[in-house]
Amino acid sequence: MSQEFLNIKDLKVSIGEKEILKGLNLSIGEGETHVIMGPNGAGKSTLGNTLMGKEEYEVTSGEITFMGEDLLEMSTDERAKKGLFMTFQNPIEVPGVRLSEFTRSACEAVGNRMSLWNFKKAAQEQMKVLSMDPSYLDRELNLGFSGGEKKKAEIFQLLMLKPKLAILDETDSGLDVDAVRIVSEGVKAYQEQTKGSLLIITHSTKILDSLKVDKVHVVVDGKVVAEGDASLISEINDNGFEKYMKA
Ligand code: ADP
Ligand code: MG
């Protein structure tokens, strides 16, 4: 049953004293691609961080079930092992750790153990999808990477880790058109290779051009205030969020 993949019910989340999510409902079926749109500060990244189990985000009420299990009972590591993955608006730099080492340990941590030879072969294949030179594997993680290269490195990790649910938080923001196209092709390769589910937080339509979108959720002030099919994306791009903010 598709409804059993990810179910979020009446979720309330606070950071410190401030309530950010105020009764959010959202469901995703297995293998589906959903888009979240909403004005700045609506709580979109908070939703992603809460799904990953980041500690500052305190769930004060509501439920999250992932593949039939209570996600809120799991640690961040357990969630990653179950197949959750998120890209970040601002990817971190890790001096002294090469992209290849970082990605290989991440694969091992989620139970995807490979020999060094198999890892390198797989890594080189996925880099081709992203038009990345294999020499990036030997670079220190994100050190001196351009914005576009950081995003490509994240999509590379997505392709290597093969999570069941990937949350992309504004992966396309600040990228030039060529980088957006390549990131979008990488995300499409993830859909095709793993049949995984996607939750894409975005303001732009470009990354969505080549992807099949099953559902769009509009988040305003900590709640889902509207839902629809892919046509909602162009409607919002034409008219903005004003109508939803008044409602
Ligand atoms: P969005 O991603 O939709 O732009 P966010 O989820 O990042 O919105 O933020 C929602 C609200 O929560 C904002 O008012 C933001 O300032 C606040 N917020 C987010 N993260 C933190 C944090 N770590 N500490 C304090 N406030 C935060
Ligand atoms: Mg955000």
Side-chain angles (χ1 to χ4, degrees):
M1 269 291 289
S2 70
Q3 285 305 83
E4 282 173 9
F5 186 69
L6 178 74
N7 256 308
I8 304 172
K9 231 172 94 185
D10 199 27
L11 183 68
K12 296 185 180 166
V13 174
S14 294
I15 305 170
E17 297 287 282
K18 195 174 162 200
E19 184 167 77
I20 312 288
L21 299 185
K22 303 174 180 174
L24 184 140
N25 293 288
L26 195 154
S27 298
I28 300 180
E30 192 161 9
E32 291 180 353
T33 296
H34 289 219
V35 169
I36 294 191
M37 301 184 85
N40 291 327
K44 306 180 297 297
S45 297
T46 298
L47 173 62
N49 287 321
T50 303
L51 287 169
M52 295 310 295
K54 268 192 139 184
E55 57 183 322
E56 314 91 276
Y57 298 81
E58 191 201 344
V59 175
T60 55
S61 75
E63 291 170 19
I64 308 179
T65 53
F66 181 56
M67 295 170 52
E69 290 185 85
D70 183 356
L71 195 71
L72 297 174
E73 291 294 310
M74 294 179 209
S75 69
T76 300
D77 284 355
E78 286 169 328
R79 294 176 199 212
K81 280 199 182 99
K82 290 278 174 199
L84 284 183
F85 172 91
M86 180 167 165
T87 67
F88 295 96
Q89 247 172 308
N90 303 299
I92 50 156
E93 299 183 354
V94 186
V97 178
R98 294 170 200 267
L99 174 61
S100 61
E101 294 161 347
F102 183 84
T103 308
R104 190 159 175 243
S105 359
C107 285
E108 275 181 17
V110 300
N112 184 7
R113 199 174 277 272
M114 278 174 272
S115 70
L116 187 57
W117 197 81
N118 281 335
F119 174 83
K120 286 217 160 135
K121 211 173 73 162
Q124 284 170 3
E125 271 165 30
Q126 302 294 11
M127 288 212 148
K128 254 187 232 155
V129 175
L130 297 165
S131 310
M132 283 177 96
D133 191 274
S135 64
Y136 279 99
L137 286 167
D138 295 323
R139 298 257 309 259
E140 292 172 275
L141 185 68
N142 291 328
L143 237 69
F145 282 29
S146 71
E149 289 165 344
K150 283 182 185 173
K151 298 300 162 115
K152 282 196 226 172
E154 287 204 300
I155 302 301
F156 166 70
Q157 291 163 47
L158 168 70
L159 291 172
M160 293 299 292
L161 286 163
K162 308 187 189 310
K164 292 202 169 62
L165 172 65
I167 304 160
L168 308 185
D169 193 358
E170 301 202 25
T171 301
D172 46 351
S173 72
L175 300 188
D176 65 46
V177 282
D178 292 330
V180 172
R181 185 179 43 75
I182 289 168
V183 163
S184 170
E185 274 163 18
V187 175
K188 194 177 178 190
Y190 162 76
Q191 282 182 323
E192 286 167 359
Q193 290 174 15
T194 70
K195 315 279 180 247
S197 304
L198 280 160
L199 188 56
I200 304 177
I201 300 169
T202 186
H203 289 293
S204 113
T205 53
K206 274 184 247 117
I207 192 177
L208 304 171
D209 281 350
S210 58
L211 303 175
K212 177 183 76 75
V213 171
D214 295 292
K215 201 164 183 182
V216 178
H217 311 261
V218 181
V219 174
V220 174
D221 194 22
K223 284 183 192 157
V224 174
V225 297
E227 291 180 315
D229 61 20
S231 65
L232 196 50
I233 300 167
S234 44
E235 196 266 316
I236 286 172
N237 273 296
D238 292 343
N239 304 316
F241 294 112
E242 206 172 329
K243 135 179 165 196
Y244 301 103
M245 293 171 83
K246 280 178 190 144

